[in-house]
Amino acid sequence: MDYRYLGRSALKVSPLCLGAMMFGGETDEVTSKRIIDKAYDQGVNFIDTADVYHAGRSEEIVGRAIAERRDNWVVATKFGYPTSQGPNEHGQSRKWIIQSVEASLKRLGTDYIDILYFHRALTEAPLEEGVRAVGDLIRQGKIRYFGVSNFKGWRIAEIARIADQLGIDRPVASEPLYNIVDRTAEVEQLPAASHYGLGVVSYSPLARGVLSGKYAADASPPADSRAGRGDRRIQQTEWRPESLSIAQTIAAHAVQRGTTSIAFALAWVLRNRLISATIAGPRTEAQWDSYVEALKLQLGPDDEKLVDSLVTPGHASTPGYTDPGYPVEGRRVV
């Protein structure tokens, strides 16, 4: 395994991070543990979960599966999304961060979290209070490092400034969405993370499954797929005609290369030297097996040219596309 430093930290992680979003929901505990054990045997030491994944069941399953080898794993989890209707049971207040971390520690069955992410940016909430709380938790030994997820470039700069001001180590990781059909992170998020010393742990390298090539533009999706199950986020984001068409082109190119579209899409993300690791979240063991193939695949200039011809660097496949989950903030009508 070609372990990589996470940003300017001394922490080394596997370039493939095992995403646990499906564990405890679509993926039962027996299968989840089998995938985790297999990943460990393959040299993977990085696993990503969150407090809101299946109401905390993902953390519980991850904790039980890694218990015997806890110190060999780099465990990342997140806070910030609502877990109930209470006004203080989400966000980035000191109250909620501490409460959330204590609950995650209990579910994970551990006394420390390696990386704690701000799961999302909140435009209306003060950022400094959250950074102070994270700094306190680091000093208490409950977390080792922290990171940010879905932060735009200027917010990465701001959180680095606040950390410097407070005498707290800067975040070690930024977690943006990044894949062949959505390259918008190349504009600001990836360069900002690099400049401020954050490693990039990107997510959704397969565009929520679209880049697997399993979806035909003119046919109904498979019933057991995210699109077939009516997953809200894929409908909001990657379920776009342009992305479906590009996925088929990538699949045909991958066959010519003697590989799969899955391995190609993951290898393309990892070829970017600004990427420390990418999160691949399997539903089945077979899916995980297909992800690992990317670590053996070497891409070249012709592969880069093909992708650039399909999606302009810094853009998404659909002109003018904006993820409704992360709207543009620069116009506030009086």
Side-chain angles (χ1 to χ4, degrees), residues 17-96:
C17 176
L18 174 54
M21 178 182 282
M22 297 291 179
F23 298 172
E26 295 84 354
T27 309
D28 62 35
E29 183 161 0
V30 172
T31 305
S32 300
K33 186 177 188 308
R34 190 165 59 246
I35 293 171
I36 291 170
D37 288 344
K38 175 178 279 192
Y40 179 84
D41 291 340
Q42 293 164 332
V44 173
N45 74 335
F46 198 6
I47 191 165
D48 180 273
T49 183
D51 56 352
V52 293
Y53 293 166
H54 301 291
R57 290 191 295 277
S58 173
E59 288 183 324
E60 292 171 353
I61 287 172
V62 167
R64 287 191 288 267
I66 69 169
E68 295 181 1
R69 297 181 277 205
R70 168 64 187 93
D71 291 338
N72 298 109
W73 283 95
V74 176
V75 179
T77 192
K78 312 175 190 76
F79 73 88
Y81 273 96
T83 59
S84 72
Q85 298 301 314
N88 289 310
E89 293 175 333
H90 61 92
Q92 55 198 38
S93 68
R94 173 182 292 273
K95 173 180 172 60
W96 177 242

Side-chain angles (χ1 to χ4, degrees), residues 263-334:
F264 185 93
L266 285 162
W268 180 86
V269 170
L270 291 173
R271 195 168 191 260
N272 187 336
R273 63 183 179 85
L274 298 181
I275 301 292
S276 301
T278 192
I279 301 169
R283 179 175 55 83
T284 67
E285 188 175 356
Q287 287 180 348
W288 175 254
D289 292 340
S290 69
Y291 301 161
V292 176
E293 291 300 310
L295 299 177
K296 308 172 188 175
L297 182 61
Q298 296 293 321
L299 303 186
D302 289 343
D303 299 305
E304 289 289 326
K305 288 178 183 177
L306 172 69
V307 173
D308 288 350
S309 73
L310 296 171
V311 182
T312 303
H315 290 262
S317 61
T318 304
Y321 166 76
T322 298
D323 184 345
Y326 305 100
V328 175
E329 301 175 36
R331 178 170 174 78
R332 301 180 184 181
V333 180
V334 296

Side-chain angles (χ1 to χ4, degrees), residues 5-7 9 11 13-20 46-53 59 74-81 90-93 96-98 100-101 104 108 113-122 127 130-131 134 137-138 142-151 156 159 170-177 189 193 198-203 275-280 326:
Y5 284 110
L6 191 54
S9 77
L11 186 66
V13 297
S14 53
L16 206 56
C17 176
L18 174 54
F46 198 6
I47 191 165
D48 180 273
T49 183
D51 56 352
V52 293
Y53 293 166
E59 288 183 324
V74 176
V75 179
T77 192
K78 312 175 190 76
F79 73 88
Y81 273 96
H90 61 92
Q92 55 198 38
S93 68
W96 177 242
I97 291 172
I98 293 173
S100 174
V101 167
S104 288
L108 287 164
I113 293 164
D114 293 290
I115 303 172
L116 179 72
Y117 286 103
F118 285 74
H119 203 159
R120 58 175 176 162
L122 298 175
L127 190 54
V131 178
V134 166
L137 289 165
I138 290 174
K142 294 182 178 181
I143 62 176
R144 300 290 192 254
Y145 306 89
F146 80 105
V148 295
S149 179
N150 299 302
F151 272 41
I156 292 172
I159 204 164
R170 289 180 178 180
V172 298
S174 171
E175 193 179 89
L177 182 145
Q189 287 170 291
L198 285 70
V200 175
V201 184
S202 64
Y203 70 90
I275 301 292
S276 301
T278 192
I279 301 169
Y326 305 100

